[in-house]
Amino acid sequence: MASSAHDRLVDVVAAAVEVAAEAGEAGTYTDDVARTLTAVVGKVGARIAVDVEVRGFSSGWQEAVDLAGGGSLDGARVLRMPERPDDTESGS
């Protein structure tokens, strides 16, 4: 099994190229085959991208929660911004 998103996408593209080559050798490669293979690569690629984004978000979120709770992550510090004054009294 591929270890990274890049490797997974490479595997999918390689499989699509292999299917295209086999279809070409068999004389069955058509516009529909090309469109279908392109759609498969596009959909799998989109799923891989979403998976990577979600995994990155949850990982970052866990780090932020740990740091906000007073924890430390490789020497990182949480810096809190001063509270903003209430704008309701400014008359705007």
Side-chain angles (χ1 to χ4, degrees), residues 10-21:
V10 167
D11 288 345
V12 170
V13 171
V17 169
E18 186 178 339
V19 169

Side-chain angles (χ1 to χ4, degrees), residues 27-52:
T28 58
Y29 189 84
T30 64
D31 290 346
D32 287 338
V33 171
R35 279 191 287 278
T36 301
L37 291 174
T38 301
V40 167
V41 170
K43 289 196 180 281
V44 171
R47 287 182 184 164
I48 290 170
V50 167
D51 183 45
V52 168

Side-chain angles (χ1 to χ4, degrees), residues 25-91:
E25 288 175 359
T28 58
Y29 189 84
T30 64
D31 290 346
D32 287 338
V33 171
R35 279 191 287 278
T36 301
L37 291 174
T38 301
V40 167
V41 170
K43 289 196 180 281
V44 171
R47 287 182 184 164
I48 290 170
V50 167
D51 183 45
V52 168
E53 288 176 8
V54 168
R55 198 172 323 142
F57 173 79
S58 67
S59 172
W61 181 259
Q62 290 168 350
E63 290 173 13
V65 167
D66 182 43
L67 291 172
S72 160
L73 186 65
D74 296 332
R77 299 183 309 155
V78 174
L79 300 176
R80 299 210 186 323
M81 297 295 292
E83 288 190 31
R84 191 172 128 186
D86 188 11
D87 288 335
T88 57
E89 296 178 21
S90 65

